[in-house]
Amino acid sequence: MVKCKMTYCGGLHCELVHEPSGAKVITDAPVDNHGKGESFSPTDLMCSAMAGCMATIIGIYAEEHGLDLRGMTIEVAKIMNPNPRRIARIETEICVPLPEDNPHKEALAQCALGSPAMRSFHPDIEVPITWKWVG
């Protein structure tokens, strides 16, 4: 079990600490929800965590199969639903440094879709994925 600790710092800022490593992340409420937008919002972190989780699972597969994916990028764009306020859609673009005809293409896509973060999202959250193969 991994523990993280959140401390409310005031002014809608929070400090998150990952206990095992001591790594810290600061959050702020978004501008459209009373914040200053000075850092990631908690929902920005959710979307970014999804991208990181996808990349990690894809990376595990790639390492097991001798694929070099250094330089792969995943960009996310979060769209909020106003009422109730929640993440409605996460537009996702995965840019893979491999040619489109790579025989591992489908397996890599399944890695992204089967990542633990993707499996944890509520099914009402739309996550359209655009793949770009640039190798």
Side-chain angles (χ1 to χ4, degrees):
M1 172 175 51
V2 173
K3 287 188 176 184
C4 299
K5 182 178 181 179
M6 187 285 307
T7 303
Y8 182 70
C9 303
L12 305 181
H13 288 92
C14 296
E15 179 183 80
L16 311 169
V17 179
H18 179 252
E19 279 193 7
S21 68
K24 296 179 182 180
V25 174
I26 304 295
T27 65
D28 185 19
V31 174
D32 67 350
N33 198 27
H34 309 285
K36 296 177 184 170
E38 295 175 334
S39 188
F40 288 94
S41 74
T43 53
D44 293 341
L45 285 179
M46 286 181 64
C47 298
S48 298
M50 178 203 73
C53 189
M54 286 177 165
T56 300
I57 300 302
I58 290 169
I60 290 168
Y61 177 91
E63 287 188 7
E64 289 174 348
H65 293 85
L67 302 173
D68 183 0
L69 293 184
R70 284 177 291 179
M72 177 179 68
T73 61
I74 301 179
E75 292 186 22
V76 292
K78 173 189 73 174
I79 292 96
M80 296 293 289
N81 188 52
N83 191 15
R85 188 161 174 86
R86 65 172 185 82
I87 299 170
R89 182 178 173 94
I90 307 167
E91 296 176 355
T92 305
E93 179 181 280
I94 303 176
C95 187
V96 184
L98 294 173
E100 188 168 2
D101 63 354
N102 187 284
H104 296 276
K105 178 180 176 180
E106 183 58 33
L108 294 170
Q110 290 307 309
C111 287
L113 293 172
S115 67
M118 280 291 291
R119 292 180 184 207
S120 299
F121 279 135
H122 191 281
D124 287 351
I125 299 175
E126 298 174 40
V127 185
I129 301 173
T130 301
W131 291 84
K132 292 193 175 179
W133 301 88
V134 294

